[in-house]
Amino acid sequence: MSVTKVAAPPQETTRAVGRSVLGTVFKARESGIALALVVLVVFTATQNSRFLSGQSIRDILLGTSILAVLAVGQAIVVITRNIDLSVGSVLGLAAFAVGSLMRDNPGLPVIVALLAGLALGVVCGLLNGALVRFGQVPALVVTLGTLYAFRGVSYLWAGGQQINADKLPASFLQFGTASVLGVPWLVVIAVVVMVVAGVVLRNYPVGRELYAMGSSPQAARLAGIKVGRNTTIAFAVSGALAGLAGVLFAARFGTVDAAAGTGYELNVVAAAVVGGVAVFGGSGSVWGASLGALLLTVIGSALAVLDINQFWQQAIVGGLILLAIGADRLVAVRVAKALKKRDSHV
């Protein structure tokens, strides 16, 4: 018995073409980041062999782990066509809160510190999500306001004081440097966060809904997707991961004050955007965002090893953001042309 194949509707075909083109381009960008990393590492190592020393590699991985955790949360928010500028302030608030908790209760296990950081981050993220959802205010404006609000709470709480490493429990500080099978715990946590987020975004309905929201919020609503609820979830996840990053920050550096995490916003957004997460939402991956975090960390380390002024790092990060935005715009134009050409053939 013969089976008749039914042609896909033109709309489905054109959407498939768009997804194919986007997927190819963003995979190419992730490959480009990996290539840039290799070139940068090789060049820096030829100029200074210490760059590939065991301690140097360990420091790069530890620095990347904190930035990557933040970048994963930022990627989830940006995919929904929003942005979270408050992550640095949430990190600082969580770092000081957890530092105070461990200083005053030295017998607490590390897991309590991790849970406390996550909980505080969730509260901050839910506040951002609620303001965006119910206030109908752009996320850029909301999170810019909470950036200063959360930082103000940190300064008010700290009162000009700082938490020194000698006041923190040894077990907590050891967590920041300890390893399992030679891999630092901070790196293990960052990898787990990246894998879990990547699997959820790729294989679960809520992940596909987030991408749909970023592609077209109006179409997502018409399709029955709960845009408001998912927006709140995205900000809650970003806040939770920023709180977790605050715990990792406190464990690694030991000394924490109200200014902890200041300026992280630029690097986090840059890591996500440079890693292939489109600023217009709807595409990208947490894998790319993590690669972007690694690239930015390596750039910072390379500049220090090559004895180049660290102020150049900010210029480089800004340039990378502009290049990424330009690439996103170029992709959008090419996809539009491909869809138009496909429609004319259909």
Side-chain angles (χ1 to χ4, degrees):
M1 186 175 78
S2 62
V3 178
T4 303
K5 293 184 178 180
V6 179
Q11 296 86 352
E12 291 297 327
T13 304
T14 54
R15 281 197 292 266
V17 172
R19 286 194 296 266
S20 176
V21 174
L22 279 172
T24 300
V25 171
F26 284 106
K27 286 180 181 177
R29 188 191 293 184
E30 292 173 5
S31 301
I33 294 175
L35 178 60
L37 274 170
V38 172
V39 172
L40 179 60
V41 169
V42 171
F43 173 77
T44 308
T46 57
Q47 301 300 309
N48 192 325
S49 59
R50 293 179 301 169
F51 185 68
L52 291 180
S53 66
Q55 185 59 46
S56 177
I57 294 175
R58 182 182 178 85
D59 289 340
I60 289 174
L61 291 176
L62 288 173
T64 301
S65 62
I66 297 174
L67 186 58
V69 169
L70 291 168
V72 167
Q74 189 70 239
I76 293 172
V77 172
V78 175
I79 283 171
T80 67
R81 200 179 287 193
N82 288 294
I83 193 169
D84 187 355
L85 298 179
S86 68
V87 290
S89 297
V90 176
L91 181 152
L93 181 59
F96 193 84
V98 169
S100 300
L101 178 67
M102 299 304 290
R103 178 195 60 191
D104 299 336
N105 304 275
L108 287 178
V110 174
I111 187 63
V112 174
L114 293 172
L115 293 176
L118 283 168
L120 180 57
V122 167
V123 172
C124 295
L126 287 174
L127 177 60
N128 284 332
L131 290 173
V132 172
R133 177 183 179 182
F134 298 110
Q136 297 297 305
V137 181
L140 176 67
V141 177
V142 167
T143 57
L144 182 62
T146 54
L147 179 156
Y148 291 107
F150 296 150
R151 184 66 64 187
V153 172
S154 296
Y155 277 104
L156 182 64
W157 189 351
Q161 300 179 354
Q162 70 177 21
I163 300 172
N164 296 316
D166 60 352
K167 301 296 183 181
L168 294 174
S171 59
F172 183 67
L173 296 176
Q174 289 170 2
F175 169 71
T177 57
S179 303
V180 52
L181 300 177
V183 181
W185 270 110
L186 271 63
V187 176
V188 172
I189 291 174
V191 171
V192 169
V193 167
M194 179 180 65
V195 170
V196 171
V199 170
V200 170
L201 286 176
R202 183 180 180 85
N203 300 321
Y204 286 82
V206 66
R208 293 190 290 272
E209 290 178 358
L210 294 179
Y211 280 106
M213 288 165 49
S215 298
S216 176
Q218 294 80 8
R221 288 190 180 91
L222 292 175
I225 295 175
K226 297 180 179 179
V227 174
R229 182 201 65 181
N230 288 347
T231 298
T232 304
I233 290 175
F235 277 103
V237 171
S238 178
L241 294 181
L244 175 61
V247 180
L248 303 184
F249 182 96
R252 184 190 176 200
F253 296 107
T255 300
V256 181
D257 58 20
T262 300
Y264 266 61
E265 298 80 18
L266 175 63
N267 285 342
V268 173
V269 173
V273 174
V274 171
V277 182
V279 292
F280 304 110
S283 62
S285 69
V286 295
W287 321 106
S290 300
L291 266 178
L294 178 59
L295 175 63
L296 295 184
T297 306
V298 171
I299 288 174
S301 299
L303 291 178
V305 169
L306 296 175
D307 198 23
I308 298 176
N309 195 317
Q310 285 291 308
F311 287 111
W312 278 103
Q313 183 175 0
Q314 299 297 321
I316 292 172
V317 170
L320 288 174
I321 292 177
L322 292 176
L323 285 174
I325 293 174
D328 288 343
R329 181 57 185 164
L330 181 61
V331 169
V333 171
R334 289 187 175 182
V335 169
K337 288 182 178 179
L339 294 177
K340 186 176 180 180
K341 183 177 180 181
R342 183 73 184 188
D343 283 336
S344 65
H345 286 303
V346 173

